[in-house]
Amino acid sequence: MELDQLKKIENYSFQNLNTSDAFLEMFIAIHTGMRFGEIAALRLNNVNFEQKMISIEKSMDMFHNEREPKTKSSIRTIRVDEKLLSVLKNLRLNQTELIIKSNNQLVGRYLRDTIKELNIKQVTFHALRHSHASYLISRGVAIQYVSERLGHADVSITQQVYSHLLNSLRVKEESKAISLLDDI
């Protein structure tokens, strides 16, 4: 997903947070790169507001059963931005209550309707995770950090999935290196 499209979905979901928690799920995915099931299992006690971190410890399957995350590396703590923290602070939930009540089908429907209304290309919910990672990589965030943030078992998984971006960054880095060498 192109950055302008991601921004449109982020803005639309932010403006509609009070209408459905499906928008909150989209918003969290865009800001964290978390998997659908990881967000579905999220509680306020997983958020450390002082340290600006979210602990990802569980996942929710499609039958609404809580389980261990996909891999051992999926159990992680990630730093989050102020905008997301502010949204989470405004939730009126107890610490152990699930933040998201919507299921995968409902969130998918809201995402499809949002995309249609915004007149952008149709994508799945998982594309929000990919777009989060692509955005970070395209802005020069180290692949190792992005891999850890996504909870990938191995950085090679991240490298495979985002190889197209890494190749374009390689060309930029190559040009930068040659330019620096020309200055010697």
Short mmCIF file of all heavy atoms in Angstrom, two decimals, residues 37 40-43 46 57-61 63-69 96 98:
data_model
loop_
_atom_site.label_atom_id
_atom_site.label_comp_id
_atom_site.label_asym_id
_atom_site.label_seq_id
_atom_site.Cartn_x
_atom_site.Cartn_y
_atom_site.Cartn_z
N GLY A 37 -4.68 -11.17 15.31
CA GLY A 37 -4.92 -11.92 16.54
C GLY A 37 -4.22 -11.33 17.75
O GLY A 37 -4.71 -11.43 18.88
N ALA A 40 -6.34 -8.43 18.76
CA ALA A 40 -7.59 -8.94 19.33
C ALA A 40 -7.41 -9.42 20.77
O ALA A 40 -8.36 -9.39 21.55
CB ALA A 40 -8.14 -10.06 18.47
N ALA A 41 -6.20 -9.84 21.15
CA ALA A 41 -5.94 -10.32 22.51
C ALA A 41 -5.40 -9.22 23.43
O ALA A 41 -5.10 -9.46 24.60
CB ALA A 41 -4.95 -11.49 22.46
N LEU A 42 -5.30 -8.01 22.92
CA LEU A 42 -4.71 -6.90 23.67
C LEU A 42 -5.65 -6.38 24.75
O LEU A 42 -6.85 -6.23 24.54
CB LEU A 42 -4.38 -5.78 22.68
CG LEU A 42 -3.42 -4.70 23.10
CD1 LEU A 42 -2.05 -5.28 23.43
CD2 LEU A 42 -3.30 -3.66 22.00
N ARG A 43 -5.06 -6.12 25.92
CA ARG A 43 -5.77 -5.53 27.05
C ARG A 43 -5.01 -4.27 27.49
O ARG A 43 -3.82 -4.14 27.20
CB ARG A 43 -5.83 -6.52 28.21
CG ARG A 43 -6.69 -7.74 27.92
CD ARG A 43 -6.55 -8.78 29.03
NE ARG A 43 -7.59 -9.79 28.97
CZ ARG A 43 -7.58 -10.82 28.13
NH1 ARG A 43 -6.58 -10.99 27.29
NH2 ARG A 43 -8.58 -11.69 28.14
N ASN A 46 -1.62 -4.52 29.01
CA ASN A 46 -0.48 -4.77 28.13
C ASN A 46 0.19 -3.47 27.71
O ASN A 46 1.22 -3.50 27.04
CB ASN A 46 -0.90 -5.53 26.87
CG ASN A 46 -1.42 -6.91 27.16
OD1 ASN A 46 -2.59 -7.19 26.89
ND2 ASN A 46 -0.60 -7.77 27.73
N GLU A 57 1.75 -10.58 24.29
CA GLU A 57 1.96 -11.84 25.00
C GLU A 57 1.02 -12.94 24.56
O GLU A 57 1.26 -14.11 24.82
CB GLU A 57 1.76 -11.60 26.50
CG GLU A 57 2.70 -10.55 27.06
CD GLU A 57 2.29 -10.05 28.43
OE1 GLU A 57 1.16 -10.33 28.89
OE2 GLU A 57 3.10 -9.35 29.04
N LYS A 58 -0.09 -12.58 23.93
CA LYS A 58 -1.13 -13.54 23.55
C LYS A 58 -1.62 -13.23 22.15
O LYS A 58 -1.35 -12.17 21.58
CB LYS A 58 -2.32 -13.48 24.52
CG LYS A 58 -2.00 -13.83 25.95
CD LYS A 58 -1.85 -15.32 26.10
CE LYS A 58 -1.55 -15.66 27.56
NZ LYS A 58 -1.19 -17.03 27.72
N SER A 59 -2.39 -14.16 21.62
CA SER A 59 -3.05 -13.98 20.34
C SER A 59 -4.45 -14.58 20.45
O SER A 59 -4.70 -15.44 21.30
CB SER A 59 -2.26 -14.68 19.23
OG SER A 59 -2.81 -14.39 17.97
N MET A 60 -5.36 -14.11 19.62
CA MET A 60 -6.73 -14.61 19.61
C MET A 60 -6.95 -15.29 18.27
O MET A 60 -6.66 -14.70 17.22
CB MET A 60 -7.70 -13.44 19.78
CG MET A 60 -9.08 -13.80 20.15
SD MET A 60 -9.29 -14.33 21.85
CE MET A 60 -8.97 -12.83 22.77
N ASP A 61 -7.46 -16.53 18.31
CA ASP A 61 -7.73 -17.21 17.04
C ASP A 61 -9.11 -16.81 16.52
O ASP A 61 -9.85 -16.05 17.16
CB ASP A 61 -7.58 -18.73 17.15
CG ASP A 61 -8.62 -19.41 18.03
OD1 ASP A 61 -9.69 -18.81 18.30
OD2 ASP A 61 -8.37 -20.54 18.45
N PHE A 63 -11.81 -18.30 16.41
CA PHE A 63 -12.93 -18.77 17.23
C PHE A 63 -12.99 -18.03 18.56
O PHE A 63 -13.71 -18.42 19.46
CB PHE A 63 -12.83 -20.27 17.45
CG PHE A 63 -12.80 -21.04 16.15
CD1 PHE A 63 -11.63 -21.64 15.72
CD2 PHE A 63 -13.93 -21.13 15.35
CE1 PHE A 63 -11.59 -22.33 14.52
CE2 PHE A 63 -13.90 -21.82 14.15
CZ PHE A 63 -12.71 -22.42 13.73
N HIS A 64 -12.16 -16.99 18.68
CA HIS A 64 -12.08 -16.15 19.88
C HIS A 64 -11.48 -16.90 21.07
O HIS A 64 -11.83 -16.64 22.22
CB HIS A 64 -13.45 -15.55 20.22
CG HIS A 64 -13.36 -14.17 20.76
ND1 HIS A 64 -12.93 -13.10 20.02
CD2 HIS A 64 -13.63 -13.68 22.00
CE1 HIS A 64 -12.94 -12.02 20.77
NE2 HIS A 64 -13.36 -12.34 21.97
N ASN A 65 -10.58 -17.82 20.78
CA ASN A 65 -9.83 -18.53 21.82
C ASN A 65 -8.46 -17.88 21.97
O ASN A 65 -7.75 -17.71 20.98
CB ASN A 65 -9.64 -20.01 21.46
CG ASN A 65 -10.96 -20.73 21.35
OD1 ASN A 65 -11.83 -20.59 22.20
ND2 ASN A 65 -11.12 -21.50 20.29
N GLU A 66 -8.13 -17.52 23.19
CA GLU A 66 -6.83 -16.94 23.45
C GLU A 66 -5.78 -18.05 23.42
O GLU A 66 -6.00 -19.14 23.92
CB GLU A 66 -6.84 -16.25 24.81
CG GLU A 66 -5.78 -15.20 24.96
CD GLU A 66 -6.00 -14.36 26.19
OE1 GLU A 66 -6.03 -14.94 27.30
OE2 GLU A 66 -6.16 -13.15 26.04
N ARG A 67 -4.63 -17.74 22.82
CA ARG A 67 -3.56 -18.73 22.71
C ARG A 67 -2.21 -18.04 22.70
O ARG A 67 -2.13 -16.81 22.70
CB ARG A 67 -3.75 -19.57 21.44
CG ARG A 67 -3.75 -18.77 20.16
CD ARG A 67 -3.92 -19.64 18.94
NE ARG A 67 -4.06 -18.88 17.72
CZ ARG A 67 -3.06 -18.35 17.03
NH1 ARG A 67 -1.81 -18.48 17.44
NH2 ARG A 67 -3.28 -17.66 15.93
N GLU A 68 -1.18 -18.86 22.68
CA GLU A 68 0.17 -18.31 22.56
C GLU A 68 0.33 -17.69 21.17
O GLU A 68 -0.26 -18.17 20.21
CB GLU A 68 1.21 -19.42 22.76
CG GLU A 68 1.24 -19.99 24.17
CD GLU A 68 1.57 -18.95 25.23
OE1 GLU A 68 2.56 -18.21 25.05
OE2 GLU A 68 0.84 -18.87 26.23
N PRO A 69 1.16 -16.67 21.04
CA PRO A 69 1.40 -16.08 19.72
C PRO A 69 2.04 -17.07 18.75
O PRO A 69 2.46 -18.16 19.13
CB PRO A 69 2.34 -14.92 20.02
CG PRO A 69 2.10 -14.59 21.44
CD PRO A 69 1.80 -15.90 22.10
N THR A 96 -8.13 -5.48 32.48
CA THR A 96 -8.07 -6.84 31.94
C THR A 96 -9.12 -7.11 30.86
O THR A 96 -9.17 -8.20 30.31
CB THR A 96 -8.24 -7.87 33.07
OG1 THR A 96 -9.48 -7.64 33.73
CG2 THR A 96 -7.09 -7.78 34.07
N LEU A 98 -10.72 -6.99 27.18
CA LEU A 98 -10.18 -6.92 25.81
C LEU A 98 -10.50 -5.56 25.20
O LEU A 98 -11.60 -5.04 25.34
CB LEU A 98 -10.79 -8.03 24.95
CG LEU A 98 -10.36 -9.45 25.28
CD1 LEU A 98 -11.16 -10.45 24.44
CD2 LEU A 98 -8.87 -9.65 25.04
#
